[in-house]
Amino acid sequence: MNFPSDPVQNAVATAKLLINGEFVNSKTIEWRDVVNPATQEVIGRVPFATSAEVKAAIDSAHEAFKTWRNTPVGARMRIMLKYQALIREHLPRIAKILSAEQGKTIPDAEGDIFRGLEVVEHAASIGTLQQGGFLENVAGKVDTYTLRQPIGVCVGITPFNFPAMIPLWMFPMALVCGNTFVLKPSEQDPLSTMELVKLAIEAGVPKGVLNVVHGGKDVVDALCTHEHVKAISFVGSTAVGTHVYRLGSEHGKRVQSMMGAKNHAVVLPDANREHTLNALAGAGFGAAGQRCMATSVIVLVGKTQEWLADLVERAKKLKVNAGNEPGADVGPVVSRAAKERVLRLIQSGVNEGATLLLDGRDVKVKGFESGNFIGPTIFADVTTDMEIYREEIFGPVLVVLSVATLDDAIALVNRNPFGNGVGLFTQSGAAARHFQSEIDVGQVGINIPIPVPVPYFSFTGSRGSKLGDLGPYGKQVVQFYTQTKTITARWFDDATVNDGVNTTINLR
Ligand code: NAD
């Protein structure tokens, strides 16, 4: 595959660093291949930046902040307006690159970019959210007002599963609030992210305002500890997110970590059967289960246990194929290592006594025999002590538990440590209202399997799925990317006024 970013036609694409407005080749000796998970073809190379390169990126962001913070908000928003138009124009092309490096189907890759594009659209109208407040006359001729000021150099560290949407959750909102940024994309699939970064520069992001370094733990640790970095947005696994949160916090940074998940879907007997089963199959197996908001546990309440055979039939009909093949429903998982991990977890389910109703381990995809494919897999008779229930599998595997009542289901979900997403399928408003009130999960879908909020809200995963209070994008991220400054001021009509020395704390 030939990428426009590629300096040499028909050769593998080399991911560049972006430092101080220049796309540069890294001087590192440490490189990693970017591999098409359907074919094992090496389609790119990504450098692990040197510590000097990481420092240069942060220094460039630090320098650019001095002028960018004073660039009028309207000028910042107009860059986002241009950026969203460019993303829209290049979306089909970037979706192909994304599908090739990540594995997801072309329509799903387009969705990945589109959900990020929506954040850019929102960033183009941020002004009202960055307003401060004003209260006149808090004491005699004293007024108090707040400013929401940018905080400085912000860092984004992103996972492999949404190489478009998640970087776009981060830098557009940080930039439009007046911050500068250093992005560290996933080393597994950085090529589509870099295409989006190039468009941001084309849209007019000035030099130094957005920088990119690639790498792994060393680069991340350097970003989390540098004195000029003020805030860190992380999305990825629980283990790494916890590390980033601790390290960044210890070094005085503001950190938000969005992490792993185990999302339950609770099915009540009065649910619309067709809609529910279609939704469960789509949300469980779409993107090969590699979504942090994928449905991964189904909780069948009462008689809905009889629906299981129908779910298995629907799952069997899904077409497992390379992401760019027409009609593909389920692409490969991202790497051989990811496939090995999922296969190991499936075997653990068998060993621990769950009933394997549908086994996707031996799936064969004609023409793509070396791809990392796993077919839809369904376990019944699962108990909460089994590894397949406790671990985030991050593959096309659904585990099914059965309970007697809605309250049993709520108690089960609330005992699970994760809190990213949950779904309820019902036709009862009363049941839905009870559920939304009692369930201890940050994002709830009612007859919606993957309730990722649109950008005017924020991503609000909770409990074990998140560290830090404020979520990505929307109103919350404007708070995250800004510092409130409160000003209390008195202006005198008469320059000769003398109201004496006041030794109390009271304003008067
Ligand atoms: P990951 O944690 O392996 O990688 C995330 C980022 O951390 C990458 O940029 C990677 O280079 C870096 N990294 C990896 N190991 C590191 C280490 N030891 N020290 C410092 N940095 C390190 O995650 P992933 O496998 O790319 O993504 C999948 C995970 O992300 C899943 O757990 C999924 O649930 C989660 N996720 C969560 C959300 C959410 O919003 N809650 C969204 C998407 C993905």
Side-chain angles (χ1 to χ4, degrees):
M1 188 165 204
N2 186 16
F3 298 114
S5 56
D6 191 351
V8 186
Q9 291 281 308
N10 297 322
V12 293
T14 301
K16 309 252 187 185
L17 310 175
L18 173 60
I19 299 176
N20 203 25
E22 302 290 329
F23 288 95
V24 293
N25 282 316
S26 173
K27 295 192 167 51
T28 186
I29 51 164
E30 196 184 347
W31 293 80
R32 182 189 157 123
D33 290 340
V34 180
V35 177
N36 180 326
T39 62
Q40 309 304 340
E41 182 193 358
V42 175
I43 58 172
R45 288 190 336 138
V46 58
F48 279 39
T50 65
S51 52
E53 289 164 343
V54 176
K55 183 176 177 307
I58 297 170
D59 286 348
S60 134
H62 184 60
E63 189 58 31
F65 181 62
K66 293 174 187 160
T67 45
W68 181 246
R69 70 187 289 273
N70 291 319
T71 302
V73 63
R76 300 196 300 248
M77 290 193 299
R78 277 188 287 279
I79 292 175
M80 293 301 149
L81 207 53
K82 183 153 183 219
Y83 189 31
Q84 65 78 28
L86 283 171
I87 295 174
R88 208 174 280 279
E89 182 188 332
H90 290 267
L91 194 150
R93 177 180 66 80
I94 299 175
K96 285 188 191 140
I97 300 173
L98 198 161
S99 170
E101 64 178 343
Q102 203 276 349
K104 62 180 73 176
T105 66
I106 297 283
D108 200 35
E110 289 175 349
D112 186 335
I113 302 168
F114 185 79
R115 294 302 303 254
L117 169 65
E118 290 183 308
V119 179
V120 180
E121 289 170 345
H122 190 223
S125 62
I126 194 76
T128 47
L129 288 183
Q130 210 180 338
Q131 287 172 356
F134 192 103
L135 187 57
E136 191 181 38
N137 238 356
V138 295
K141 295 199 174 162
V142 175
D143 305 324
T144 295
Y145 51 100
T146 55
L147 310 178
R148 279 205 168 280
Q149 295 192 309
I151 47 181
V153 179
C154 300
V155 159
I157 301 158
T158 56
F160 81 84
N161 66 330
F162 282 99
M165 178 182 82
I166 292 177
L168 292 176
W169 279 2
M170 296 179 181
F171 70 80
M173 293 299 277
L175 262 51
V176 83
C177 289
N179 302 287
T180 55
F181 207 84
V182 182
L183 176 66
K184 207 300 286 171
S186 170
E187 70 282 22
Q188 299 195 68
D189 49 12
L191 303 178
S192 46
T193 313
M194 289 312 289
E195 292 301 317
L196 290 163
V197 166
K198 276 196 242 166
L199 295 182
I201 300 302
E202 195 180 328
V205 171
K207 75 174 190 174
V209 170
L210 174 62
N211 302 270
V212 182
V213 288
H214 301 286
K217 179 173 168 49
D218 291 349
V219 169
V220 167
D221 288 1
L223 292 169
C224 291
T225 51
H226 194 289
E227 58 171 332
H228 291 331
V229 171
K230 300 296 176 212
I232 301 163
S233 298
F234 172 89
V235 179
S237 64
T238 301
V240 180
T242 306
H243 163 73
V244 165
Y245 188 83
R246 286 193 184 136
L247 188 63
S249 302
E250 262 170 36
H251 286 81
K253 323 296 179 204
R254 191 179 283 190
V255 190
Q256 53 175 197
S257 277
M258 307 303 127
M259 309 185 293
K262 201 76 180 171
N263 306 308
H264 298 62
V266 176
V267 185
L268 296 188
D270 68 355
N272 176 322
R273 182 174 170 138
E274 289 301 304
H275 166 82
T276 304
L277 291 172
N278 288 336
L280 296 178
F285 304 122
Q290 298 173 115
R291 294 180 181 132
C292 67
M293 289 287 279
T295 298
S296 47
V297 182
I298 296 178
V299 185
L300 296 174
V301 179
K303 280 169 51 174
T304 61
Q305 286 156 39
E306 293 161 12
W307 300 8
L308 203 44
D310 205 353
L311 178 68
V312 171
E313 286 314 306
R314 267 162 230 246
K316 275 185 189 164
K317 289 194 184 115
L318 293 174
K319 204 164 163 206
V320 181
N321 210 339
N324 63 352
E325 289 292 304
D329 295 307
V330 180
V333 294
V334 70
S335 64
R336 282 197 164 136
K339 179 172 176 176
E340 287 311 310
R341 186 180 163 276
V342 175
L343 293 182
R344 188 193 65 71
L345 282 162
I346 293 174
Q347 189 56 44
S348 84
V350 174
N351 296 348
E352 291 190 282
T355 307
L356 188 52
L357 289 181
L358 182 62
D359 184 355
R361 288 179 291 183
D362 287 331
V363 72
K364 300 274 182 294
V365 179
K366 200 158 171 282
F368 297 94
E369 284 75 11
S370 57
N372 311 319
F373 295 99
I374 304 168
T377 297
I378 300 179
F379 277 108
D381 305 317
V382 175
T383 54
T384 55
D385 54 342
M386 293 179 182
E387 196 178 2
I388 50 171
Y389 177 78
R390 289 182 287 112
E391 282 290 312
E392 181 184 40
I393 300 177
F394 229 55
V397 182
L398 276 174
V399 306
V400 183
L401 289 85
S402 300
V403 296
T405 67
L406 175 59
D407 281 329
D408 292 341
I410 292 171
L412 175 87
V413 175
N414 287 353
R415 276 197 302 274
N416 189 286
F418 292 111
N420 221 30
V422 69
L424 176 71
F425 290 85
T426 182
Q427 296 284 53
S428 160
R433 196 175 184 289
H434 177 64
F435 185 82
Q436 75 186 31
S437 158
E438 297 304 315
I439 205 77
D440 192 4
V441 173
Q443 301 176 111
V444 181
I446 311 282
N447 298 314
I448 301 276
I450 304 188
V452 176
V454 291
Y456 333 111
F457 296 88
S458 297
F459 192 91
T460 57
S462 65
R463 293 200 284 134
S465 297
K466 178 184 190 180
L467 285 168
D469 339 321
L470 298 168
Y473 66 81
K475 291 179 196 170
Q476 292 195 2
V477 102
V478 175
Q479 278 178 271
F480 183 78
Y481 288 138
T482 56
Q483 171 66 45
T484 304
K485 186 181 278 176
T486 309
I487 294 149
T488 302
R490 169 181 285 161
W491 293 98
F492 302 97
D493 296 329
D494 175 358
T496 63
V497 71
N498 179 354
D499 46 8
V501 175
N502 177 13
T503 57
T504 73
I505 195 167
N506 294 330
L507 290 168
R508 56 180 195 199

